[in-house]
Amino acid sequence: MRIHVVDHPLVAHKLTTLRDKRTDSPTFRRLADELVTLLAYEATRDVRTEQVDIETPVTATTGVRLSHPRPMVVPILRAGLGMLDGMVRLLPTAEVGFMGMVRNEETYEAQTYATRMPEDLSGRQVYVVDPMLATGGTLVAAIKELIKRGADDVTALCLLAAPEGVEVMERELAGTPVTLVTAAVDERLNADRYIVPGLGDAGDRMYGTAG
């Protein structure tokens, strides 16, 4: 598994405001959206392209466009929805799938309650987005499902990661075509499996505590 921690002053600046407990939900959503676009720029460096002949107002030339099959963006519900706009802004022709997953607070294992994506992802580059890589269980389960459906190149985008989650991904996804792109790898998980220093529950901070 490849790991890319995006080292950029704008990324660090926006992440600092996201961490601040005084940041309200509207500001949190806006900054998360902006941060995802910066991460997506790095994550899509290896997006597949093909040559295309075009005519400029001056002459004929050759350029590139995204190749087929088109890449797919898969947010993990619900917090991953807050990262979707930032991704499709950079990849407007990408298709979007959805995975609804929730962590069992007693076993800390990921449970899938909904999926909406093609059964066959053969030849697809897939970008799965989830704000927090904590224990790693949710992302590992999601990525295994994507690979099971034929995805041959998976990139996970997370705002934050914990070393324990990174270790789980490296162990459980060894030998698979997976890249992790994140703004920071934090210190550790606490006893409740929250990232420290982290930013709290990303879903609650984006959308409130309803439900």
Side-chain angles (χ1 to χ4, degrees):
M1 185 180 78
R2 296 184 299 168
I3 303 171
H4 180 35
V5 179
V6 180
D7 182 16
H8 192 285
L10 286 178
V11 170
H13 167 75
K14 294 178 188 299
L15 181 57
T16 298
T17 308
L18 285 176
R19 291 186 191 274
D20 193 332
K21 67 180 183 180
R22 297 170 297 180
T23 300
D24 59 23
S25 289
T27 304
F28 191 98
R29 287 194 298 269
R30 175 177 59 80
L31 286 172
D33 177 74
E34 294 172 359
L35 182 54
V36 170
T37 299
L38 294 173
L39 296 180
Y41 180 80
E42 295 294 333
T44 55
R45 284 187 178 274
D46 295 325
V47 68
R48 294 169 186 163
T49 61
E50 59 189 16
Q51 288 192 337
V52 57
D53 296 324
I54 63 167
E55 297 238 358
T56 77
V58 179
T59 186
T61 189
T62 301
V64 298
R65 66 183 176 192
L66 297 185
S67 60
H68 284 79
R70 290 181 290 176
M72 173 166 283
V73 178
V74 179
I76 296 180
L77 306 179
R78 69 177 169 150
L81 282 177
M83 301 174 68
L84 179 58
D85 286 348
M87 279 297 301
V88 297
R89 182 179 301 114
L90 206 64
L91 287 173
T93 61
E95 295 185 350
V96 178
F98 296 93
M99 294 188 72
M101 305 187 76
V102 64
R103 185 178 73 172
N104 186 307
E105 295 302 330
E106 294 181 359
T107 65
Y108 299 113
E109 294 181 354
Q111 298 175 333
T112 301
Y113 63 85
T115 57
R116 181 71 175 183
M117 69 182 78
E119 288 295 329
D120 185 5
L121 295 174
S122 299
R124 289 284 190 115
Q125 283 183 295
V126 180
Y127 298 88
V128 56
V129 294
D130 194 20
M132 314 295 283
L133 171 56
T135 63
T138 298
L139 265 181
V140 166
I143 291 171
K144 284 184 175 180
E145 178 62 26
L146 295 170
I147 292 173
K148 177 182 176 182
R149 295 185 184 218
D152 64 356
D153 188 339
V154 179
T155 298
L157 279 81
C158 301
L159 302 182
L160 285 180
E164 295 90 336
V166 172
E167 182 180 347
V168 167
M169 285 188 68
E170 289 180 319
R171 182 178 68 248
E172 296 294 326
L173 299 171
T176 58
V178 176
T179 300
L180 170 66
V181 177
T182 184
V185 177
D186 274 6
E187 296 174 10
R188 58 184 173 84
L189 293 178
N190 64 16
D192 295 321
R193 303 300 196 272
Y194 279 96
I195 299 175
V196 178
L199 50 76
D201 187 300
D204 286 351
R205 296 198 64 192
M206 284 182 185
Y207 303 118
T209 57

